[in-house]
Amino acid sequence: MAQADSRAVALGVLAGAAGISLAIAYFRKVGAGDGRVVHLSSNADHTGGSLGLQTGQAEVLDRLGALIHCVSELKEEVKALKEALPHLQDNVRDQLRGRSREEIGARKASPLHRTPARRKRAGVPDRTEGQSSEDAESEGGYITALTDSEEEESDDERKPLQEPVDELMALLQKADRLHSCNGAEKAQGLNALLERKEEFDQKWQYLWRLSRAYADAHDFAMDLAEKKSYAENGKKVGEEAISINPQCAEGHQWYAILCGLLTEYESIQNKIKHGYLFKDHLHKAIELKPEDPLSYYLLGRWCYAVSQCTWIERKIAATLFGEPPSATVQDALQNFLKAEEISPKYSKFNYVFLAKCYKDLGQRSRARQMCDAASAMSIVTKEDEEAQKELDSLVASL
């Protein structure tokens, strides 16, 4: 921007100097010509020639005065630009850092950003008629310099200072980060999402993460009523996510998880009902995303729990729903093995349940191998602590 202004000023000064030189040359030419006329004319013509000479001299003096005034104004602008040059480095740094348009606009009020403009001088006739080719070229160059400078400034103003931030994407990334944390920080994801619920409560990407956050908060809550409330609210949000996008695997997965959590606080009838929902939505999640080990692990847990149901529980299920849930230890084993296949050393609990399945199937040596594998994994999460307790009891029984 500063280079364009300097070019404009330089061209303007050159134009002024060229105009002054031409004016002086014109004055000399007129004076010499009038002198010849005086000597050759009669006394009557002498008087008219003198008047013409005075008129021409007055016109030339007016033009010289106007040009000198223009040069003085140009000198003042050059002085102002020199005073602004020390701020050039700060101005460039501000633009590179992407400051707001208002801050840059404030700096543009400084002399550094003033674009010289043509001034229409009062009392001076229009010079577009009868001007020399040199005057036209100089003035044209001055106008071109101004146009380039103005275009550069316009281009700078049109450029966006920074890319707009996708607030939804930023919120989802924050929720994913908090969910991956260990300890109480994991439960903070619920509050972070609830703060923006009015803005994004119709976005399925937001809703399934909110249902997941309710499940995380449930795990860290201590009060039984509070845990049940988290599970119920999470299930409702999960239903909304699935209704907006039935093809979201994570929506079905976390809806199933919350149905499983609710079985801890419901009657036998509702437990069986939520058990069916748990199974159906896990199957849908696996159909939509077959490479997610969590869905296979959860389905393995469901199969193992059903295989351990008593005869009375099966009869109740048959009475209420016509057909009791059916699953075997072998079904559970296959799902746990699938989770291990997709993600080796998937979790400490997965090894514990593999050991339980092998024990129930009479394969004690394989059960001990799974116990050893579980023992080799460190305790990181709250779930790992629970797995370790069950592992200790299982090892003692083997």
Side-chain angles (χ1 to χ4, degrees):
M1 184 69 189
Q3 292 180 355
D5 289 341
S6 300
R7 184 178 63 179
V9 173
L11 290 174
V13 173
L14 290 176
I20 293 173
S21 300
L22 288 173
I24 294 172
Y26 175 73
F27 171 73
R28 290 176 178 176
K29 180 179 178 181
V30 172
D34 288 340
R36 288 195 298 271
V37 173
V38 169
H39 292 294
L40 294 175
S41 64
S42 62
N43 291 333
D45 294 336
H46 183 270
T47 302
S50 297
L51 293 174
L53 177 60
Q54 292 175 359
T55 302
Q57 289 176 344
E59 180 180 357
V60 170
L61 289 174
D62 289 341
R63 293 191 177 187
L64 284 173
L67 289 172
I68 291 171
H69 179 70
C70 180
V71 171
S72 299
E73 292 179 343
L74 290 174
K75 287 181 179 180
E76 292 178 1
E77 292 186 357
V78 171
K79 182 179 179 181
L81 289 171
K82 287 182 178 180
E83 293 175 354
L85 284 176
H87 304 290
L88 177 60
Q89 184 176 0
D90 294 336
N91 180 67
V92 173
R93 186 184 299 111
D94 292 343
Q95 292 183 0
L96 291 176
R97 290 178 177 176
R99 285 193 174 183
S100 64
R101 191 179 299 274
E102 289 79 11
E103 291 176 341
I104 294 178
R107 285 192 177 275
K108 286 183 179 179
S110 67
L112 181 62
H113 290 90
R114 287 206 300 264
T115 303
R118 290 188 62 192
R119 296 174 176 82
K120 186 174 181 180
R121 294 175 292 278
V124 180
D126 188 0
R127 296 173 57 197
T128 57
E129 296 182 0
Q131 65 181 1
S132 67
S133 60
E134 292 180 0
D135 288 338
E137 181 178 355
S138 298
E139 186 173 88
Y142 182 63
I143 293 173
T144 302
L146 293 181
T147 303
D148 293 340
S149 176
E150 292 169 354
E151 288 178 354
E152 290 175 6
E153 183 172 337
S154 299
D155 291 339
D156 290 341
E157 293 177 351
R158 285 195 296 266
K159 292 178 180 178
L161 297 178
Q162 60 183 9
E163 293 295 329
V165 177
D166 188 336
E167 294 187 3
L168 175 59
M169 184 59 66
L171 178 62
L172 300 182
Q173 291 175 351
K174 180 179 180 180
D176 292 341
R177 178 179 59 80
L178 290 173
H179 174 70
S180 64
C181 294
N182 298 316
E185 188 178 3
K186 190 173 188 176
Q188 296 175 7
L190 179 60
N191 290 332
L193 289 169
L194 287 176
E195 289 175 357
R196 311 295 294 276
K197 193 174 189 299
E198 292 184 0
E199 299 175 60
F200 305 120
D201 62 352
Q202 295 301 313
K203 301 291 186 181
W204 59 269
Q205 304 96 322
Y206 166 85
L207 289 173
W208 78 255
R209 286 177 171 84
L210 181 58
S211 66
R212 181 183 67 183
Y214 273 115
D216 291 340
H218 167 275
D219 293 341
F220 284 93
M222 304 301 294
D223 182 71
L224 191 64
E226 187 179 9
K227 292 172 78 72
K228 182 180 179 181
S229 176
Y230 283 139
E232 290 175 340
N233 290 331
K235 180 175 176 287
K236 292 178 183 178
V237 173
E239 288 176 351
E240 295 176 12
I242 294 171
S243 65
I244 294 175
N245 183 9
Q247 303 303 311
C248 175
E250 290 82 3
H252 289 282
Q253 184 183 82
W254 286 97
Y255 179 75
I257 291 172
L258 286 155
C259 287
L261 293 177
L262 274 175
T263 61
E264 301 177 17
Y265 316 104
E266 301 287 353
S267 62
I268 295 178
Q269 181 178 352
N270 286 333
K271 282 184 178 181
I272 297 172
K273 177 184 175 181
H274 284 118
Y276 279 114
L277 289 173
F278 184 89
K279 176 188 176 184
D280 292 342
H281 284 278
L282 278 181
H283 278 299
K284 187 63 177 179
I286 290 173
E287 177 187 336
L288 295 171
K289 194 174 181 180
E291 297 304 316
D292 189 342
L294 176 59
S295 295
Y296 291 101
Y297 166 73
L298 294 172
L299 187 57
R301 292 282 300 261
W302 182 87
C303 291
Y304 189 82
V306 170
S307 70
Q308 304 299 309
C309 285
T310 64
W311 177 84
I312 295 178
E313 291 172 333
R314 292 179 185 275
K315 291 296 289 184
I316 293 174
T319 302
L320 295 174
F321 298 98
E323 181 180 354
S326 177
T328 65
V329 175
Q330 188 66 40
D331 295 332
L333 177 63
Q334 295 304 315
N335 283 291
F336 292 131
L337 289 174
K338 184 65 177 179
E340 179 67 14
E341 176 187 340
I342 295 173
S343 179
K345 298 181 180 180
Y346 174 68
S347 73
K348 195 180 191 74
F349 241 140
N350 195 59
Y351 281 131
V352 170
F353 275 97
L354 279 169
K356 288 183 177 183
C357 290
Y358 282 125
K359 175 190 173 185
D360 292 347
L361 293 172
Q363 302 180 33
R364 289 182 171 270
S365 60
R366 291 289 293 166
R368 292 190 187 95
Q369 291 177 3
M370 294 300 104
C371 288
D372 292 340
S375 299
M377 296 186 69
S378 58
I379 300 174
V380 178
T381 66
K382 185 177 180 180
E383 188 181 54
D384 292 336
E385 295 176 359
E386 297 174 0
Q388 185 63 44
K389 293 178 182 178
E390 292 199 24
L391 177 62
D392 294 338
S393 301
L394 184 60
V395 171
S397 66
L398 291 173

